[in-house]
Amino acid sequence: MSKFFSEKYSNLTPYTPGEQPQDKKYIKLNTNESPFPPSPIAQRMAREEAGTLQLYSDPEVKLLVRDFAAYYGISEDEVVFSNGSDDVLNFACMAFCDEEHPLVFPVVTYGFYCVFAELNHVPYEEILMNDDFTINVSDYIGIGKNIFIANPNAQTGITLPLSDIEKIVSSNPDNIVMVDEAYVDFGGESAIGLIKKYNNFIVVGTFSKSRSLAGARIGFAIADRELIRDMNTIRYSTNPYNINRMTMQAARGALADDEYFKENCEKIKAIRAYTVCELKKLGFTVTDSKANFILAKSDRVGGKDLYLTLKERGILVRHFETDRLRDYNRITIGSMEQMETLIKVTKEILGERS
């Protein structure tokens, strides 16, 4: 870092995004993107909007808010949009967390939670999980701190039932509970309905995964209107034009093409089931994922060894060098053809290690 870098960020460890290598063409199963292109309607609406890019976007995102609220059965003042869900996670951390309102989350989860806490100088605690990567709900009951939980959980894909989410929310009425539902459309149970019942509850989501708009960068938070007003205060104090014109139209098109969205989610579920079955035949241990990825390990090859060997052969998966995860690899569910290739190459690698 330069001598000018502020001392207040001297201990900040930035988030490490998944690899986006350009050296050759890979089967990319490392960043939980959709293998399917955006909806044809989303593509068309984005193209049509390209001719207006000389004009600022609508900071209130009125047309998207209208469509979104109608789709999810909420009021228009119960949603805020952001430049990817990462942005709105940071808004929540800035708006509701400080030294008097610390943050807790599971030790294995989305890596940005601790980054945002450190960035905003918020004390935080990473709560241990069970050996099978499940969350012990009792650890969060009445904890008296702000809580971030990904459901399905990032890295594992394991879900908490809605009844457990409600137990956590109801037992912490003086603190914010935020559930990150980035992967919920692939088999989880959304908690959006709870925002009508609890004024301390936030649901965060994204168009990146199930709606095939990772490159468009659009996320959202749904909550009580007072919480949304707080997050909008942060948004208008940082970047009120955070949703560009083409992205807004692409998101509207994705919402309009509900059949395409649902068909793709069902395809991912089916391909996930196939992949889990084939990996288990090879002796892998695989988490019970309800996301568009799985977490898998083998006793026949180390996690890093498998990751590096797959990469050499043109397949990217995600490997983490943390104590709990270093034996595993996180594998995005791609197209059936991509997953068949993954299984074929993995069989070859295991054969070589025998």
Side-chain angles (χ1 to χ4, degrees), residues 64-74 79 81 207 220 222 255:
L64 177 56
V65 166
R66 181 198 65 191
D67 295 354
F68 186 92
Y71 184 92
Y72 283 101
I74 62 172
V79 60
F81 284 97
F207 281 61
F220 57 86
I222 303 172
L255 283 173

Side-chain angles (χ1 to χ4, degrees), residues 93-111:
C93 196
M94 294 172 69
F96 308 117
C97 303
D98 53 37
E99 290 189 359
E100 295 181 1
H101 304 89
L103 182 59
V104 299
F105 42 81
V107 70
V108 176
T109 191
Y110 185 33

